[in-house]
Coordinates of all heavy atoms in Angstrom, one line a residue:
V152 N 3.1 -8.9 -7.1 CA 4.2 -9.8 -6.9 C 4.3 -10.8 -8.1 O 5.4 -11.0 -8.6 CB 3.9 -10.6 -5.6 CG1 4.9 -11.7 -5.4 CG2 4.0 -9.7 -4.4
N243 N -1.3 -6.0 4.6 CA -2.3 -6.0 3.5 C -3.2 -4.8 3.6 O -4.2 -4.8 4.4 CB -3.0 -7.3 3.5 CG -2.2 -8.5 3.0 OD1 -1.2 -8.8 3.6 ND2 -2.6 -9.0 1.9
S261 N -6.1 -7.9 -8.4 CA -5.6 -9.2 -7.9 C -5.7 -9.4 -6.4 O -5.4 -10.5 -5.9 CB -4.1 -9.3 -8.3 OG -3.4 -8.4 -7.5
H262 N -6.2 -8.4 -5.7 CA -6.2 -8.5 -4.2 C -7.5 -9.1 -3.7 O -8.5 -9.0 -4.3 CB -6.0 -7.1 -3.6 CG -4.7 -6.5 -3.9 ND1 -4.5 -5.5 -4.7 CD2 -3.4 -6.9 -3.5 CE1 -3.2 -5.2 -4.8 NE2 -2.5 -6.1 -4.1
L263 N -7.3 -9.8 -2.6 CA -8.4 -10.7 -2.1 C -9.7 -9.9 -1.8 O -10.7 -10.3 -2.3 CB -7.9 -11.5 -0.9 CG -8.9 -12.4 -0.3 CD1 -9.3 -13.5 -1.3 CD2 -8.4 -13.0 1.0
I264 N -9.6 -8.9 -1.0 CA -10.8 -8.3 -0.5 C -11.6 -7.6 -1.6 O -12.8 -7.9 -1.8 CB -10.6 -7.3 0.7 CG1 -10.2 -8.2 1.9 CG2 -11.8 -6.4 1.0 CD1 -9.9 -7.4 3.2
L266 N -11.6 -8.5 -4.7 CA -12.1 -9.6 -5.6 C -13.3 -10.2 -5.0 O -14.3 -10.5 -5.6 CB -11.0 -10.6 -5.9 CG -9.9 -10.2 -6.9 CD1 -8.8 -11.2 -6.9 CD2 -10.5 -9.9 -8.3
I278 N -14.9 -16.6 -6.2 CA -13.6 -16.3 -5.8 C -12.8 -17.6 -5.7 O -13.3 -18.6 -5.3 CB -13.6 -15.6 -4.4 CG1 -12.1 -15.2 -4.0 CG2 -14.2 -16.4 -3.3 CD1 -11.6 -14.0 -4.8
A279 N -11.6 -17.6 -6.2 CA -10.7 -18.7 -6.2 C -9.9 -18.6 -4.9 O -9.3 -17.6 -4.6 CB -9.8 -18.8 -7.4
I280 N -9.8 -19.7 -4.1 CA -9.0 -19.7 -2.9 C -7.6 -20.3 -3.3 O -7.6 -21.5 -3.7 CB -9.6 -20.6 -1.8 CG1 -11.0 -20.0 -1.4 CG2 -8.7 -20.7 -0.6 CD1 -11.8 -20.9 -0.5
F281 N -6.6 -19.5 -3.3 CA -5.3 -20.0 -3.7 C -4.6 -20.8 -2.7 O -3.8 -20.3 -1.9 CB -4.4 -18.8 -4.1 CG -4.9 -18.0 -5.3 CD1 -4.6 -16.7 -5.4 CD2 -5.7 -18.6 -6.3 CE1 -5.0 -15.9 -6.5 CE2 -6.1 -17.9 -7.4 CZ -5.8 -16.5 -7.5
C292 N -4.0 -19.2 3.3 CA -3.0 -18.3 3.7 C -3.6 -17.3 4.7 O -4.7 -16.8 4.6 CB -2.5 -17.5 2.5 SG -1.4 -18.4 1.5
V293 N -2.7 -16.9 5.7 CA -3.1 -15.9 6.7 C -2.4 -14.6 6.4 O -1.2 -14.6 6.2 CB -2.7 -16.5 8.1 CG1 -2.9 -15.4 9.2 CG2 -3.6 -17.7 8.4
R294 N -3.2 -13.5 6.5 CA -2.6 -12.2 6.2 C -3.1 -11.2 7.3 O -4.2 -11.4 7.9 CB -3.1 -11.6 4.9 CG -2.5 -12.4 3.7 CD -1.0 -12.1 3.5 NE -0.4 -12.8 2.4 CZ 0.0 -14.0 2.4 NH1 0.0 -14.8 3.5 NH2 0.6 -14.6 1.3
Y296 N -4.6 -7.7 7.7 CA -5.3 -6.6 6.9 C -5.3 -5.3 7.7 O -5.7 -5.3 8.9 CB -6.7 -7.1 6.5 CG -6.6 -8.3 5.6 CD1 -6.6 -9.6 6.1 CD2 -6.5 -8.1 4.2 CE1 -6.5 -10.7 5.2 CE2 -6.3 -9.2 3.4 CZ -6.3 -10.5 3.9 OH -6.2 -11.5 3.0
V332 N -7.7 -16.8 4.3 CA -8.6 -16.5 3.1 C -10.0 -16.9 3.4 O -10.9 -16.1 3.1 CB -8.0 -17.2 1.9 CG1 -8.9 -17.0 0.7 CG2 -6.6 -16.6 1.6
R355 N -0.8 -19.9 -5.1 CA -0.2 -18.9 -6.0 C 1.3 -18.9 -5.7 O 1.7 -18.7 -4.5 CB -0.8 -17.5 -5.7 CG -0.4 -16.5 -6.7 CD -1.3 -15.2 -6.5 NE -1.1 -14.6 -5.2 CZ -1.7 -13.4 -4.9 NH1 -2.5 -12.8 -5.7 NH2 -1.5 -12.9 -3.7
D358 N 3.6 -17.1 -2.6 CA 2.8 -16.7 -1.5 C 3.2 -17.3 -0.2 O 3.1 -18.5 0.0 CB 1.3 -17.1 -1.7 CG 0.5 -16.0 -2.4 OD1 1.0 -14.9 -2.5 OD2 -0.7 -16.3 -2.8
P359 N 3.8 -16.5 0.8 CA 4.1 -17.1 2.1 C 2.8 -17.5 2.8 O 1.7 -16.9 2.5 CB 4.8 -15.9 2.8 CG 5.2 -14.9 1.8 CD 4.2 -15.1 0.7
L362 N 1.6 -14.0 7.0 CA 2.3 -12.7 7.1 C 1.6 -11.9 8.1 O 0.5 -11.4 7.8 CB 2.4 -12.0 5.8 CG 3.4 -12.5 4.7 CD1 3.2 -11.7 3.4 CD2 4.8 -12.4 5.2
Ligands
UDP642 N1 -5.9 -14.8 -2.7 C1 -6.8 -15.8 -3.0 N2 -7.6 -15.6 -4.1 C2 -7.5 -14.4 -4.9 C3 -6.6 -13.4 -4.5 C4 -5.8 -13.7 -3.4 O1 -6.9 -16.8 -2.4 O2 -8.2 -14.4 -5.9 C5 -5.1 -15.0 -1.5 C6 -3.6 -14.9 -1.7 O3 -3.0 -16.1 -2.1 C7 -3.0 -14.4 -0.4 C8 -4.2 -13.6 0.2 O4 -5.4 -14.0 -0.5 O5 -2.8 -15.5 0.5 C9 -4.0 -12.1 0.1 O6 -3.6 -11.9 -1.3 P1 -3.5 -10.4 -1.9 O7 -3.2 -10.5 -3.3 O8 -4.8 -9.6 -1.5 O9 -2.3 -9.7 -1.0 P2 -0.8 -10.2 -0.8 O10 -0.8 -10.9 0.5 O11 -0.4 -11.1 -2.0 O12 -0.1 -8.9 -0.7

Side-chain angles (χ1 to χ4, degrees):
V152 172
N243 287 63
S261 69
H262 294 110
L263 180 64
I264 290 180
L266 287 173
I278 184 74
I280 300 173
F281 294 153
C292 286
V293 168
R294 292 290 180 274
Y296 295 90
V332 173
R355 192 168 62 177
D358 268 347
L362 285 176

